[in-house]
Every structure is written in structure tokens, then in C-alpha cells.
Amino acid sequence: MLCDDSLSAAAMSNQFKNTSSSTWDVQEGGNSTPPPSFQFELEPVVISVNPWDIVLCVTGTLMSCENAIVLALIIYTPTLKAPMFVLIGSLAFADLLAGLGLIVNFTITYIFDTGFVTLLSAGLLITAFSASVLNILAITVDRYLSLYNALTYHTERTVIFTFVTLVLIWVTSITLGALPIMGWNCLEDETTCSICAPIDKNHAAALAVTFLFVFALILQLYLQICKIAFRHAQQIAVQQKFMTTSHSSSPTTKGVSTLSIILGTFALCWIPFATYSLVADIGYPPVYTYVTALPAICHSMINPIIYAFRNPDIQKSMRIACCCGCAPSNFSLRPRTPSDV
């Protein structure tokens, strides 16, 4: 019985081997289909980049470089520490921050597009541009005080007032920038988005109204500056009888022209975007937003030209820095006059 079982088992084993061999031979033959091979093909991910976003990113880079130069000149030149230059430095820092914010926003939009990070980017931009506009208001107030209180302007009281003003500017700007993170956003309801998502329409309208109010204050202050400058010109003409009125009013005329350029540039750059923010929402074509926002952004590139590079002391510091690589501390500041607008 055991022998029969052994023979039977051996026969079954030989049959299995023959079957396996024949099966393998069939698979190895030319008429059979080879076993399937697994191949993984990785398709390239194509990211569509908006050309307008590229323009804003390049603009932000230029803004950062330009304002970094102004900030470096003011920091590393010992004589540029008057209240006027402190305010110009604060303006340059705000515009530098705005340029960096545009670069960060471009990176977040196409790489780290998450809700909270988007809110941080929007808050950074709001803080920077709010500080820029408020610093322009502070510079206007400083110029008004330098004419209205010319005899008492260069005092410690003015220095304290300047630093208190800076604290108020940056606290207000940071508060406005924190509003999207604190709930003033449209992440949960996209129908409430403004033209600058993720900022909601209420927040955008509040910022636009605030800007228009600040512009009205700047306009009023510059009108007062013009009145004071004309009054000073008339007083000089009376005291110096040998000097004709036309000659005495020429510096004032130049100052009024400068004021017109400052106000005209500010209005042309910012008012279209502020007005559009009040009437438009996310349903409007995005190209309108870019067209109105780009001039407002470019105003931060114009600020160094208007408020810094036109200043004789900063020009002198820049020439020395370019020629010698350093700015000496022994050249004196040129006294400010009522025509320094």
C-alpha cells in the first residue's frame, strides 16, 4: 500500500513537472503574450502664471531696491538724523516693506496658496501701503510746522512729536493690516469678496474712505503751506526794498510748482484705485483691478524721487557714498527755508 502510494505520488509529481515545463515553454514561445510590465509616467505640472502678477512682482523688486538705498543712506549718514529725515526713512521703510510684500504675495499665490498664509500676505500689504500713505501725511504736517513755527521748529519738542507720530503711524497701520486675520475676510463666503481678495468689500470700502480722508487732509495742509509761503515772500519783499516782487516770489513759485507735482502725482496714482474699490467687487473683470492698482503701487517707486533724491543733503550723501564708499560725519545740514517744500 505504501509502495503504491509512493508510485502514485511520483507519477503525479512527474505529471506536474511536465505540465509546468510545457506551460513555461508556451509562455516563452513567440506566439504567446509576454507578461505585462508596469511603467509609471509622470506628467509635468504646468502652472499658468498671470502676466500682471509678474509685472507686480518685478515692480515690487524695483521698489525694494530703490527704497533700500534711501534707507541705507539715512541710517549710515550721521548727519541725516533731523525729524524730516526720520520721516523720510520711515516712508522708505514702508515702501520697502510694500515691495517685499508684493514678492511674498507672488510666491504665496503660486506656491503656498493656503487660507491663513494668504491672509498674512494681505495683511502685510495693507500694513505697508497704509504706513506709506500715513507717512506722506506726516511729512506734510512736518513741512507745515516748519513754516508755521519756524522759530521753534528745531527743538527737542519737535523731535518728541516726530517719534510719537511714528508710533501712531505704525500702530494704526499694523491694526489695519491685522483686520483680515481677525475676521474681515471672505474665505468663508466668496460672494463678499472685494476686488482685492481675500479682503471683503466692507474692509476695502473702509480703507478707501480712509485714504480719501487722508488725501483731503494733505490737500488742505498744502494749501495752508502755499498761503504761508506767499505771505513770507511778501514780507521779504517789503523788508528788502531793492528786491522786486517778481524776484522775491520766484522761489515761492517754484515751491508751488513742486507742491502741484506732489499732489498731482499722489492723486493720479491713488484716487482711481480708491474709487474703484468703492464701486467694484470680485465679479468685475480682474484686468480693471490690475490697471487701477498698478499706478498706486508704482507710487511707492516715485516716493524716493519726490521726498529723498531731490533733497540736497541726501544727494550729497549719495555722491560721497558712491565716490568714497562712506559718508563723513563732518558735513553740515543745509538750513531749511520756507521754500523747502
Side-chain angles (χ1 to χ4, degrees):
M1 178 68 69
L2 292 175
C3 184
D4 293 338
D5 292 340
S6 299
L7 292 174
S8 183
M12 293 177 62
S13 175
N14 292 332
Q15 184 179 1
F16 175 76
K17 290 180 180 179
N18 293 333
T19 305
S20 300
S21 178
S22 62
T23 304
W24 178 258
D25 292 339
V26 172
Q27 291 180 352
E28 291 292 334
N31 296 329
S32 62
T33 303
S37 60
F38 297 95
Q39 297 180 355
F40 298 93
E41 295 182 359
L42 297 178
E43 296 182 357
V45 179
V46 179
I47 300 178
S48 178
V49 181
N50 191 334
W52 284 101
D53 291 333
I54 297 177
V55 172
L56 294 182
C57 185
V58 172
T59 304
T61 304
L62 296 176
M63 285 166 49
S64 301
C65 296
E66 188 180 15
N67 287 282
I69 294 174
V70 176
L71 201 58
L73 287 173
I74 294 177
I75 291 175
Y76 291 104
T77 304
T79 52
L80 300 180
K81 297 296 183 289
M84 174 183 64
F85 296 111
V86 174
L87 292 174
I88 293 176
S90 178
L91 174 62
F93 178 73
D95 290 333
L96 170 64
L97 201 63
L100 294 177
L102 290 173
I103 299 173
V104 171
N105 184 71
F106 179 84
T107 305
I108 289 174
T109 301
Y110 293 100
I111 298 179
F112 305 105
D113 191 9
T114 60
F116 182 73
V117 178
T118 303
L119 292 178
L120 288 178
S121 175
L124 175 62
L125 289 174
I126 292 173
T127 299
F129 285 111
S130 298
S132 179
V133 173
L134 292 178
N135 273 292
I136 292 175
L137 174 62
I139 291 173
T140 308
V141 173
D142 175 74
R143 289 175 171 175
Y144 172 76
L145 292 178
S146 68
L147 293 175
Y148 187 76
N149 297 321
L151 298 178
T152 60
Y153 175 78
H154 297 281
T155 60
E156 184 178 354
R157 182 179 179 181
T158 304
V159 176
I160 296 175
F161 174 78
T162 300
F163 282 100
V164 171
T165 302
L166 288 179
V167 172
L168 291 176
I169 287 173
W170 285 101
V171 169
T172 303
S173 301
I174 293 173
T175 302
L176 291 175
L179 290 178
I181 302 176
M182 296 170 61
W184 285 34
N185 59 72
C186 59
L187 293 182
E188 296 182 356
D189 186 6
E190 294 185 356
T191 59
T192 62
C193 286
S194 66
I195 59 174
C196 299
I199 305 170
D200 61 8
K201 289 186 288 188
N202 293 331
H203 191 188
L207 290 175
V209 171
T210 302
F211 164 78
L212 294 175
F213 176 73
V214 171
F215 176 75
L217 289 178
I218 293 174
L219 180 61
Q220 180 64 27
L221 285 170
Y222 272 129
L223 290 176
Q224 296 299 321
I225 289 174
C226 290
K227 291 181 181 179
I228 296 174
F230 278 116
R231 186 167 63 247
H232 286 180
Q234 292 175 356
Q235 293 174 354
I236 292 174
V238 171
Q239 293 174 0
Q240 300 177 351
K241 297 183 182 299
F242 62 90
M243 193 173 182
T244 61
T245 305
S246 59
H247 289 102
S248 64
S249 61
S250 58
T252 304
T253 304
K254 180 181 178 182
V256 172
S257 301
T258 303
L259 291 180
S260 301
I261 294 174
I262 294 174
L263 285 175
T265 304
F266 189 73
L268 289 175
C269 289
W270 274 103
I271 287 183
F273 180 66
T275 306
Y276 186 68
S277 299
L278 287 173
V279 299
D281 55 29
I282 197 173
Y284 283 62
V287 65
Y288 296 159
T289 302
Y290 286 109
V291 169
T292 54
L294 186 59
I297 293 171
C298 288
H299 190 261
S300 292
M301 295 178 61
I302 302 174
N303 284 337
I305 300 174
I306 294 177
Y307 297 99
F309 296 143
R310 290 177 59 255
N311 185 280
D313 298 312
I314 294 181
Q315 290 177 359
K316 185 175 182 180
S317 177
M318 184 180 299
R319 286 194 298 268
I320 295 174
C322 293
C323 296
C324 305
C326 60
S329 59
N330 56 359
F331 71 92
S332 60
L333 289 173
R334 179 180 56 85
R336 294 180 60 181
T337 63
S339 61
D340 289 337
V341 294

